[in-house]
Amino acid sequence: MKDNDIEDMLDLTFTRELKPGGAGIPVSEKNKKEYIERMVKWRIERGVAQQTESLVRGFYEVVDVRLVSVFDARELELVIAGTAEIDLTDWRNNTEYRGGYHDNHIVIRWFWAAVERFNNEQRLRLLQFVTGTSSVPYEGFASLRGSNGPRRFCVEKWGKITSLPRAHTCFNRLDLPPYPSFSMLYEKLVTAVEETSTFGLE
């Protein structure tokens, strides 16, 4: 749907009340992006709302809400999971590359130089930005999992040099533009990891 013209091809509406009165709103080329976003949200959330509410209620029975309200989601995960030291050699040995990048590509060498310059907390935030979690599996980076099974950390060439890196947490993938200098890569990577809490959805 996303990559093709759907005009007069599919007979879809915003059913399941993806929006008020959705059954009467046909999906067209103009509103297909909204349809895709609402359908993905519905598929992710359906059937887990009650379980999520129960989990949150149980959590607050054990932990006073005032104690955790000062943390954002990333900080709370670090408090709960701890701050394990990241093994950079293991991380690099279990990373794959796409889009023309390879382990010896200059941008990838700069990427790892930037990660080496990071302190451990920044490395954990980078890991969380890309994978959705700041914890490394007990077995190491070779055992990282995505939304549907084992999925290695991946760096893919994507975007213009004016873009920030973006992450796809379901796929443990970092989309990294081919920056022309180490300093630009470092600055953009720090900005993406420290200042954003969103990820690209494709």
Side-chain angles (χ1 to χ4, degrees):
M1 275 183 78
K2 182 176 161 246
D3 297 329
N4 296 290
D5 188 333
I6 64 160
E7 212 63 61
D8 300 323
M9 297 292 288
L10 303 172
D11 187 25
L12 297 172
T13 63
F14 283 76
T15 51
R16 300 188 189 93
E17 291 309 300
L18 297 176
K19 64 190 294 182
I25 302 172
V27 178
S28 66
E29 189 63 25
K30 288 183 179 178
N31 65 11
K32 71 178 182 182
K33 185 174 183 223
E34 179 189 8
Y35 174 80
I36 292 168
E37 289 171 356
R38 287 179 182 266
M39 181 58 83
V40 167
K41 186 174 189 292
W42 178 81
R43 286 183 183 261
I44 289 171
E45 291 177 352
R46 76 176 167 165
V48 296
Q50 188 177 354
Q51 293 92 326
T52 303
E53 288 172 21
S54 296
L55 178 67
V56 170
R57 219 176 16 258
F59 180 79
Y60 286 138
E61 284 179 13
V62 178
V63 180
D64 189 325
V65 68
R66 292 170 297 178
L67 297 175
V68 294
S69 63
V70 296
F71 300 110
D72 65 23
R74 292 191 307 175
E75 293 166 336
L76 184 59
E77 183 180 3
L78 287 173
V79 169
I80 292 171
T83 56
E85 286 291 321
I86 289 186
D87 181 343
L88 283 182
T89 303
D90 179 44
W91 192 352
R92 187 166 186 168
N93 287 342
N94 288 288
T95 295
E96 59 185 43
Y97 307 99
R98 294 187 185 158
Y101 282 155
H102 50 82
D103 192 56
N104 203 34
H105 192 286
I106 187 64
V107 174
I108 296 302
R109 294 200 329 248
W110 289 337
F111 170 76
W112 289 113
V115 175
E116 283 178 24
R117 185 183 281 189
F118 284 180
N119 62 36
N120 198 62
E121 183 182 343
Q122 288 173 306
R123 291 173 187 166
L124 288 167
R125 285 188 180 215
L126 171 62
L127 180 63
Q128 189 171 45
F129 175 68
V130 178
T131 68
T133 180
S134 62
S135 52
V136 181
Y138 175 75
E139 304 89 347
F141 279 91
S143 298
L144 271 183
R145 297 186 65 79
S147 60
N148 57 358
R151 181 79 64 164
R152 284 187 171 196
F153 189 89
C154 177
V155 182
E156 181 163 351
K157 185 191 279 187
W158 164 88
K160 300 175 182 173
I161 62 170
T162 53
S163 305
L164 286 174
R166 69 179 184 182
H168 302 267
T169 56
C170 292
F171 307 111
N172 296 339
R173 189 176 85 222
L174 176 68
D175 288 347
L176 186 66
Y179 298 117
S181 69
F182 172 78
S183 58
M184 181 182 277
L185 181 146
Y186 187 85
E187 178 188 323
K188 298 273 191 183
L189 191 60
V190 168
T191 301
V193 172
E194 299 289 341
E195 304 296 331
T196 64
S197 59
T198 59
F199 58 89
L201 178 62
E202 295 233 327

